[in-house]
Amino acid sequence: EGICGAFVTLPQRPTTVKTRVMARRQQMLRLDSEDASPLSSADQEALLSVIAEQLPAHDVVILSDYGKGGLTHISEMIRIARAADKPVLVDPKGDEWGKYAGATVITPNRSELKQVVGSWKNDEELAAKAGKLRGDLGLEALLVTRSEEGMTLFADEVHHQPAKAQEVFDVSGAGDTVIATLAVMLAAGAAWDEAIRVANIAAGIVVGKLGTAVVTRQELLAAL
């Protein structure tokens, strides 16, 4: 697939191991064995150095926050990428989102957004809360994935994609599929509405597969 890994290796730190408990082709729960403490200053500097080295050869940056300690310096990562004129997409975690300020777009799911802005009674209230959050963080856009309600992108205009009715086998990795597809579309020069249309279709393909699956170019073209 043309993927080239550029890693920072930490000999004393275990790699996170995720154990998925399945029943009747459905994931019931996941158990993580890990060390999620923040990285040391030296390790963070090494990671920032790798990012700076990689930036010139790439068109877009995804920062996926799993709360595992690796993105302690995410504000600096965003600053470096934006200074190099690269779009930055962030998949957030937790309830302290000030560190994501300056990103191009963040992609929370419904429950993650409620944790930060509180609940809403209707789409108008959601749009108001999304607009305020965009302003507070200086985002170009906010993409909210809303499970059975599809996904909504709040930018200068609002774009909504309804969920496609289908049998869902496993939602593992659906959010990753959305942000990855969105990144590819933006890097290719697509407008927001077209980018989320394709991301929505890709997510619909991947939830119909068991386990953390990928969407191939051929599957995406067929679905389009």
Side-chain angles (χ1 to χ4, degrees), residues 47-63 73-90 100-105 140:
L47 188 54
L48 288 172
S49 178
V50 167
I51 291 172
E53 290 169 6
Q54 292 293 317
L55 275 176
H58 296 84
D59 299 313
V60 63
V61 175
I62 297 174
L63 297 170
H73 285 14
I74 190 169
S75 295
E76 181 65 8
M77 295 174 183
I78 293 171
R79 189 197 67 75
I80 292 171
R82 297 299 281 157
D85 203 27
K86 310 293 183 181
V88 178
L89 295 79
V90 176
Y100 305 136
T104 306
V105 58
E140 285 186 32

Side-chain angles (χ1 to χ4, degrees), residues 115-184:
Q115 200 176 348
V116 173
V117 303
S119 59
W120 52 87
K121 296 184 179 68
N122 50 47
D123 284 350
E124 290 73 22
E125 194 173 339
L126 169 59
K129 288 177 179 285
K132 183 178 185 306
L133 185 63
R134 279 184 60 219
D136 291 345
L137 298 182
L139 307 171
E140 285 186 32
L142 173 71
L143 177 62
V144 185
T145 54
R146 304 169 65 184
S147 302
E148 73 283 354
E149 296 177 343
M151 61 177 66
T152 307
L153 184 123
F154 300 92
D156 291 337
E157 298 179 359
V158 177
H159 303 282
H160 181 74
Q161 287 290 323
K164 185 178 177 181
Q166 63 190 53
E167 186 170 6
V168 175
F169 284 103
D170 195 339
V171 297
S172 300
D176 296 329
T177 299
V178 167
I179 198 170
T181 308
L182 186 67
V184 169

